[in-house]
Amino acid sequence: FPYTTLFRSAGDGARVQLATIVLILVALSTAGAISLLRSGRLQASALAMAATIIIALTLLVYHNSFEDSGVILFAYALPITLGGMLAGKRGILLTVLSCIFGVLLVVILTNLGAPGAGAGAGPVEGQAPISSLISFAVLAGLLGLFIGSLNTLATEALAVRAAREQELEALSSTLEQTVHERTSDLENALNSLQSRAAEAERLLAENAKQREAIRALSVPVLPLNRNTLVMPLVGELDSARLEEMQ
């Protein structure tokens, strides 16, 4: 927020001091939140950052007059959203209660005339701060409910997506196993066909040899001397046998 909005009623010295305190607080908390995040503690990191923002906003509301802090009060939606989306239902409850407690504490200290409250404006008369506090509490609660519902829907959607991804992984694994089994069956069938083909070739070769032997035995030629051959013939003399004789 612009300094003219945050510190409208504060002097230059107080403005610089408060800005320095807020910046140091945010910087330290951000470093701690990043450290928690790197260690895998997401919820703790989110709650730490939300708490820092709540403290910083409460200091700003405390230092300014309550009537001039409308913009700052709307900024409390940031820690509520941060805690609700990243820290679950407990994070929503803690952030909402912390925001309401911070504003309530500012109202009490302002009415008591605490030093520095409302930039030295003194106690606030009337019911305006109480009404503003009640309105703020109602709005913070409604925002917390909305963020909680949104977080529940997002969690359910993520759960459904995770379940579908697991189903897809299971189907993919089953499909891979089925393809592997079918491939193995095809390889076995191919090996069997190759074996049968080799056996068929061997049988054909043996059959050809047997036919050649039978053909030679059907027309035997027995040499008696250098000038005489004897061909004993038994059975029918068909054209193929006669051709072989010739």
Side-chain angles (χ1 to χ4, degrees):
F1 304 103
Y3 283 157
T4 55
T5 301
L6 293 179
F7 312 107
R8 184 179 301 171
S9 58
D12 293 336
R15 182 184 307 161
V16 173
Q17 291 178 1
L18 182 59
T20 303
I21 293 174
V22 171
L23 289 177
I24 292 175
L25 179 63
V26 171
L28 293 176
S29 177
T30 302
I34 293 175
S35 178
L36 291 174
L37 186 61
R38 289 181 176 177
S39 62
R41 303 171 63 182
L42 177 60
Q43 292 186 354
S45 175
L47 289 177
M49 200 64 202
T52 302
I53 297 174
I54 292 173
I55 294 174
L57 293 176
T58 303
L59 288 175
L60 296 176
V61 175
Y62 176 78
H63 192 74
N64 289 270
S65 61
F66 197 81
E67 291 79 2
D68 295 334
S69 301
V71 177
I72 305 175
L73 293 177
F74 278 104
Y76 279 98
L78 178 60
I80 295 175
T81 304
L82 182 62
M85 294 303 295
L86 298 180
K89 294 181 179 180
R90 292 183 179 180
I92 296 175
L93 182 61
L94 287 175
T95 51
V96 170
L97 292 179
S98 298
C99 292
I100 296 175
F101 176 77
V103 176
L104 175 62
L105 185 62
V106 170
V107 172
I108 294 174
L109 293 177
T110 301
N111 287 331
L112 292 176
V124 180
E125 300 295 337
Q127 300 297 324
I130 304 299
S131 301
S132 300
L133 175 61
I134 295 175
S135 300
F136 174 78
V138 172
L139 291 177
L142 292 176
L143 179 60
L145 290 176
F146 174 76
I147 296 299
S149 301
L150 185 62
N151 187 24
T152 301
L153 292 176
T155 303
E156 293 176 354
L158 290 175
V160 172
R161 181 177 179 180
R164 290 181 178 177
E165 289 180 353
Q166 292 180 354
E167 292 178 357
L168 290 176
E169 290 179 358
L171 291 175
S172 177
S173 177
T174 303
L175 180 60
E176 290 179 357
Q177 183 177 0
T178 303
V179 170
H180 179 71
E181 292 177 354
R182 294 293 185 270
T183 303
S184 179
D185 293 340
L186 289 175
E187 289 179 353
N188 294 333
L190 180 60
N191 293 331
S192 178
L193 288 175
Q194 290 177 349
S195 300
R196 292 180 182 180
E199 182 67 17
E201 290 180 358
R202 186 184 65 81
L203 292 176
L204 288 175
E206 290 182 357
N207 191 12
K209 291 181 180 180
Q210 291 175 358
R211 287 184 180 182
E212 184 65 23
I214 292 172
R215 185 178 63 81
L217 292 175
S218 66
V219 186
V221 178
L222 303 178
L224 295 181
N225 53 41
R226 295 178 62 184
N227 298 320
T228 305
L229 299 176
V230 176
M231 182 182 295
L233 298 176
V234 178
E236 182 181 0
L237 297 176
D238 54 7
S239 60
R241 194 174 181 188
L242 291 174
E243 182 179 358
E244 185 64 24
M245 289 173 57
Q246 294 175 359

